[in-house]
Amino acid sequence: MREEFALQYAERRAKERGFENYRIIHRDFTIPPMGVLKFQANNEIWLVTYIAWGLIVKSDYGRYDNWYTQGIVENVHEHADHIEIINTRKYQRTIRFLQVILKTKDDGSKE
């Protein structure tokens, strides 16, 4: 998903889920050879904007890998809740996300 589209998509998805306020953070991860990164993303949406060949992203929203998926399928770029990134290669790989943090009035954060 291109970053320009991801920014527009983030606003639409936040509103669809009932949130008027949200914060966007750019996240880059380097996954070591044959490594795995796992994290929780509750009340967040993670949008893949770049993924190196050999990485797999799995979450409660689905799975994305960039060698079996043919063509552009935008909905596989959205992930949330429990996220796992798997490097299937013998070299480190990188992935880039747009993290959309959904904000409520009582979450303790500043508007």
Side-chain angles (χ1 to χ4, degrees):
M1 175 182 295
R2 296 198 182 268
E3 190 170 325
E4 300 83 20
F5 179 76
L7 290 167
Q8 294 171 5
Y9 184 82
E11 179 178 7
R12 187 177 78 227
R13 285 294 289 140
K15 288 180 180 176
E16 285 174 358
R17 292 184 59 180
F19 293 86
E20 291 297 321
N21 297 316
Y22 59 93
R23 189 171 81 193
I24 293 179
I25 300 174
H26 297 267
R27 298 284 187 180
D28 292 285
F29 296 107
T30 300
I31 313 300
M34 307 304 287
V36 176
L37 174 64
K38 297 179 184 181
F39 56 93
Q40 288 296 123
N42 299 321
N43 240 19
E44 300 174 354
I45 302 169
W46 288 66
L47 303 172
V48 177
T49 57
Y50 170 79
I51 185 169
W53 191 85
L55 290 179
I56 298 171
V57 181
K58 295 191 291 187
S59 75
D60 293 343
Y61 279 37
R63 173 188 168 116
Y64 178 72
D65 60 66
N66 67 340
W67 65 86
Y68 292 120
T69 306
Q70 297 297 314
I72 297 173
V73 182
E74 292 299 343
N75 63 343
V76 299
H77 290 80
E78 180 178 342
H79 296 277
D81 301 330
H82 177 80
I83 299 174
E84 184 175 346
I85 305 166
I86 304 160
N87 183 356
T88 64
R89 311 309 299 163
K90 295 179 182 177
Y91 305 99
Q92 72 181 21
R93 297 287 187 232
T94 58
I95 187 167
R96 186 175 305 124
F97 289 96
L98 224 59
Q99 178 188 13
V100 183
I101 301 171
L102 304 170
K103 298 172 73 175
T104 63
K105 293 189 186 293
D106 60 351
D107 67 2
S109 64
K110 296 179 181 177
E111 294 282 332

